[in-house]
Amino acid sequence: IHAEHPDSLNRPRVLSLSRSEALSGNAFPLYGMRNADGFHDNELASYRLFRGGQGNENYMYNINQVAQGQAENAFLDLMNIGDVIFDTRAGTQYIPFKNHHSDGHLYGHYVVMSDSQAVKALREGFDYKNTLILSEKPSESFTQSASVNGNAKITAKPKMDDITYQVSSDKPAFLLSSGNFHRYWKATVNGKPAKVYKAFGTLRAVAVPQGTSTVRLEYKSDAVRGSLTLGLVACIV
């Protein structure tokens, strides 16, 4: 997998469905990689819907055609999955994908849908490469455009709770981050707080201005920070 994707900072995720302990979903951080299926009892309902339940139906429904370059799978692309590992009667199988959606894709155009509507649209062939699906209308003014020229790259080793992108765009755009949305995710754009939107039913999106920007996403639990503060006050008292 390292050989297939030598850029360690922008290496795509692995979808590992194997029962092998060495290849289980939660083992991949040990190898410096991000897994797309390391969720258990605490997994998000929106992600279950996105991936198609415990059987990963939305990831797997046309995987043979995707592996042969004969079809695309919006769910695999949007979650930035570049490799799939799963068990068969013949042993553990590994499938690398040559063409996959990048983590940090830019969009100039969006539509608004509910989580279930977004997943249904993706299964029915929605143009996910050119149009972003948001769960709510942006609170800030945003001038939509048919296309955006630019790129986004991860600039520091991504962590479970901290990821930074360097973005360049010729127009105002939305940056799609291929990870699950949660209200505890906080964003800054060029050091200023920015709203994190839910995109495609479960992913994250942040509005960025024209030009060059640094976007940082951090997972900060308000409840945990509040509890620590109360505990500190109690200790002082």
Side-chain angles (χ1 to χ4, degrees):
I1 294 173
H2 280 209
E4 287 284 344
H5 313 288
D7 184 349
S8 61
L9 293 182
N10 293 279
R11 183 174 291 135
R13 282 180 170 80
V14 177
L15 174 63
S16 177
L17 306 177
S18 174
R19 295 181 179 274
S20 166
E21 291 186 9
L23 299 174
S24 68
N26 290 327
F28 277 84
L30 299 174
Y31 311 129
M33 293 182 280
R34 293 180 293 168
N35 182 56
D37 200 51
F39 299 85
H40 298 291
D41 295 338
N42 63 339
E43 79 178 28
L44 301 173
S46 62
Y47 179 58
R48 280 200 302 273
L49 178 66
F50 181 85
R51 71 177 189 165
Q54 299 293 340
N56 295 285
E57 181 183 352
N58 291 336
Y59 284 153
M60 305 296 285
Y61 72 91
N62 67 341
I63 195 168
N64 290 327
Q65 289 80 10
V66 174
Q68 296 169 12
Q70 300 173 351
E72 294 180 335
N73 181 307
F75 303 93
L76 291 170
D77 277 356
L78 289 171
M79 188 55 85
N80 185 224
I81 294 172
D83 307 88
V84 175
I85 299 173
F86 56 95
D87 297 330
T88 69
R89 292 182 179 178
T92 302
Q93 302 294 311
Y94 163 60
I95 300 177
F97 300 138
K98 296 297 183 183
N99 300 314
H100 57 83
H101 213 51
S102 63
D103 188 344
H105 191 74
L106 297 176
Y107 291 89
H109 180 65
Y110 71 85
V111 296
V112 178
M113 296 183 190
S114 68
D115 295 353
S116 58
Q117 288 174 331
V119 171
K120 185 174 185 292
L122 291 173
R123 280 298 297 259
E124 294 176 350
F126 182 85
D127 184 15
Y128 66 93
K129 292 188 176 181
N130 296 303
T131 301
L132 178 70
I133 299 178
L134 295 176
S135 63
E136 62 180 297
K137 187 175 181 180
S139 55
E140 67 267 31
S141 60
F142 181 84
T143 302
Q144 300 200 57
S145 56
S147 63
V148 170
N149 293 317
N151 61 75
K153 292 288 186 181
I154 297 173
T155 59
K157 184 178 179 180
K159 302 176 182 178
M160 293 294 290
D161 59 354
D162 192 342
I163 185 168
T164 301
Y165 300 88
Q166 188 72 25
V167 182
S168 177
S169 177
D170 66 340
K171 301 181 185 73
F174 274 98
L175 168 73
L176 179 70
S177 179
S178 298
N180 282 310
F181 171 88
H182 192 279
R183 61 191 176 90
Y184 288 161
W185 279 103
K186 313 296 182 185
T188 58
V189 178
N190 297 324
K192 297 180 180 179
K195 181 177 175 63
V196 180
Y197 292 91
K198 184 188 284 188
F200 294 110
T202 197
L203 306 180
R204 305 178 296 248
V206 179
V208 297
Q210 179 181 351
T212 301
S213 303
T214 298
V215 179
R216 185 176 184 183
L217 286 161
E218 295 180 279
Y219 187 88
K220 296 181 177 179
S221 170
D222 297 330
V224 170
R225 285 191 294 171
S227 298
L228 292 174
T229 301
L230 288 175
L232 178 60
V233 171
C235 286
I236 293 173
V237 172

